Amino acid sequence: MASPPVFFGFLGDKIPGRRTPFLFGLLVLAGSTVSFAVGDNLPILLAARILEGFSAAIVGTLGSALLRDTFGAEHIGKAMGYTSLAVSSALLLGPAIGGLLYEYGGYFQVFLPAYGLLVVEVILRLLIIEKKKPLTPRLHGHADFKENSVHDGQAGNVEQGLGSPDQNSLEQTQPGEPEEQRLLPKASPERPRQALLILLASPRFLVAMIGTFIVNCITCGFDGVLAPYISDSFGLKATHAAALFLAMALPMFLAPIPGALTDRYGAKLPAAAGFVLAIPSLTLLRLVTPGTDMPFVKLLILLGLAGTSFAFTGSPLRVEAARVVAAIEQDRPGVFGPNGAYSQAFGLINAGMAAGSMLGPLYAGYMRVWLGWGAMSSSMGILSSIMLVLVLLVTGGREQLQTCD
């Protein structure tokens, strides 16, 4: 689950443009959907699930990179907030629409909206005009840079002893540049290096990746323990569990707000606010035990607050990953090569999310069975406390936002 986003992120940065791999991801999703619709045995359904995971890795990773390419550093937070809102809307409306279609139409009719949305998505993707990336390989010390310099007449300067082609090219200045600036030595761009290793060596990026892992670990952890716990402890039904999950999901409609705050103040403020809210709301869940008055109402309030905290952490941490790439490129021009490393950055972030989605139910389930509901909820509060400290100490704020932009 964690490796496909990293691979397709690497591939996305090596291929000029996002269109071809993005369309490939949509085709894989179409194949997965058809397999689910016609599959009547376990191997076909398992293959469909695997294809679905690969398509999510491709579309999710390259889609985030496309947002960064389109909106730039200034508005990416708000854009990601709206994408989070769209995902939340799909998670809320999908089961309801699917249930109605299954009830009144049948099994195959459940997949008709998916086919229609896939066609619309392919058309919209074909209509997108991608921004042209600057031709930066000539700044990276490549051989073609030297050859072009010679063909542009720089060879004559070498014969006259005026310096090497590389030096003359790097020393060219823009019109109106002060004489003092022309006399200063020019910084030599770095050769492209392994982006994944550079990103994983960045404390800011690691905090963003760990944060997305922990948030997904907690949210998905409730998937496996909430319904059994309220049934065993309070005799509540599946409809009550659905209402509690809805209380956690609805606050995601607030995601554009922390996204806009991230654009203006950096990721530290909204992410820290989210973890500050998560600590008491998750820790106080330990008090909702058998014998508690109005357990459903208390769970509804606390899980709603927890969902709000998650809405304030998701988009800022993803934006922080993109800002780390921009900051590294600004400090070390050319280190990521001509196509940058945004796809690889979002691939790593999505890998953290996938790992959290996989390990979260196992973590929460074993904690509840071995140590109890109270220990599980307290551990979630402790994890949020650790993330709050890391965000306050490491995550970029307004100062880093200004230097990055």
Side-chain angles (χ1 to χ4, degrees):
M1 291 182 66
S3 57
V6 178
F7 170 75
F8 290 112
F10 176 83
L11 191 64
D13 285 331
K14 298 305 177 184
I15 299 177
R18 316 285 187 193
R19 174 176 299 183
T20 300
F22 198 97
L23 289 175
F24 175 72
L26 293 177
L27 291 177
V28 174
L29 181 59
S32 169
T33 306
V34 172
S35 299
F36 272 122
V38 302
D40 56 358
N41 56 67
L42 182 60
I44 294 180
L45 295 177
L46 182 60
R49 187 62 173 170
I50 294 174
L51 289 176
E52 184 185 31
F54 272 97
S55 67
I58 301 171
V59 175
T61 299
L62 297 180
S64 297
L66 181 63
L67 280 180
R68 174 58 179 79
D69 295 341
T70 304
F71 292 95
E74 186 177 355
H75 302 294
I76 185 176
K78 194 172 183 180
M80 285 195 173
Y82 280 112
T83 58
S84 297
L85 188 153
V87 171
S88 301
S89 302
L91 292 175
L92 289 175
L93 297 178
I97 295 174
L100 290 174
L101 290 175
Y102 181 78
E103 181 71 21
Y104 296 102
Y107 179 77
F108 184 77
Q109 281 70 18
V110 173
F111 300 92
L112 294 180
Y115 298 142
L117 289 174
L118 278 169
V119 172
V120 172
E121 175 62 23
V122 169
I123 294 174
L124 291 177
R125 186 64 193 89
L126 292 174
L127 292 176
I128 291 179
I129 301 176
E130 295 189 58
K131 292 184 177 181
K132 297 295 183 181
K133 298 179 182 179
L135 297 177
T136 55
R138 296 176 63 181
L139 297 177
H140 297 156
H142 290 180
D144 63 326
F145 174 76
K146 299 178 182 179
E147 294 172 3
N148 290 336
S149 298
V150 174
H151 290 307
D152 291 340
Q154 298 296 336
N157 293 337
V158 177
E159 293 174 358
Q160 300 173 15
L162 297 180
S164 66
D166 290 0
Q167 291 171 339
N168 291 332
S169 301
L170 290 174
E171 289 175 2
Q172 290 179 355
T173 57
Q174 298 296 328
E177 186 178 9
E179 183 177 357
E180 297 84 355
Q181 185 68 24
R182 294 199 300 269
L183 296 176
L184 292 175
K186 304 298 180 182
S188 298
E190 292 194 38
R191 291 181 179 272
R193 301 182 185 276
Q194 179 53 258
L196 296 178
L197 298 179
I198 296 174
L199 291 173
L200 292 175
S202 167
R204 285 178 59 188
F205 187 87
L206 277 179
V207 169
M209 187 175 178
I210 294 171
T212 55
F213 166 77
I214 288 180
V215 169
N216 260 46
C217 194
I218 293 174
T219 54
C220 295
F222 284 109
D223 292 346
V225 299
L226 185 58
Y229 177 71
I230 64 173
S231 176
D232 297 341
S233 301
F234 312 111
L236 299 177
K237 300 179 180 178
T239 53
H240 295 91
L244 293 176
F245 283 117
L246 186 64
M248 292 181 63
L250 281 177
M252 287 303 298
F253 284 91
L254 301 174
I257 296 176
L261 291 174
T262 304
D263 288 335
R264 186 168 184 179
Y265 301 106
K268 178 177 293 187
L269 176 63
F275 286 116
V276 165
L277 182 59
I279 294 170
S281 59
L282 293 172
T283 305
L284 290 175
L285 285 173
R286 65 173 292 112
L287 302 180
V288 185
T289 56
T292 303
D293 294 332
M294 298 187 296
F296 176 72
V297 175
K298 293 178 179 178
L299 287 173
L300 198 69
I301 295 173
L302 291 175
L303 291 175
L305 292 175
T308 304
S309 72
F310 301 145
F312 269 77
T313 56
S315 296
L317 292 175
R318 294 180 68 83
V319 175
E320 173 74 354
R323 294 245 167 90
V324 170
V325 176
I328 294 175
E329 285 183 330
Q330 187 176 32
D331 292 339
R332 304 165 62 182
V335 71
F336 291 134
N339 296 321
Y342 290 104
S343 291
Q344 294 175 80
F346 288 121
L348 287 171
I349 292 296
N350 288 345
M353 295 176 62
S357 301
M358 179 179 65
L359 298 177
L362 297 175
Y363 144 74
Y366 281 114
M367 285 288 294
R368 183 196 164 227
V369 170
W370 289 350
L371 301 177
W373 170 266
M376 183 205 73
S377 56
S378 297
S379 68
M380 291 178 175
I382 293 173
L383 291 175
S384 300
S385 302
I386 294 173
M387 277 311 307
L388 175 60
V389 174
L390 292 176
V391 166
L392 291 175
L393 293 177
V394 179
T395 300
R398 195 166 189 174
E399 298 80 7
Q400 288 82 358
L401 175 62
Q402 292 172 348
T403 56
C404 178
D405 294 340

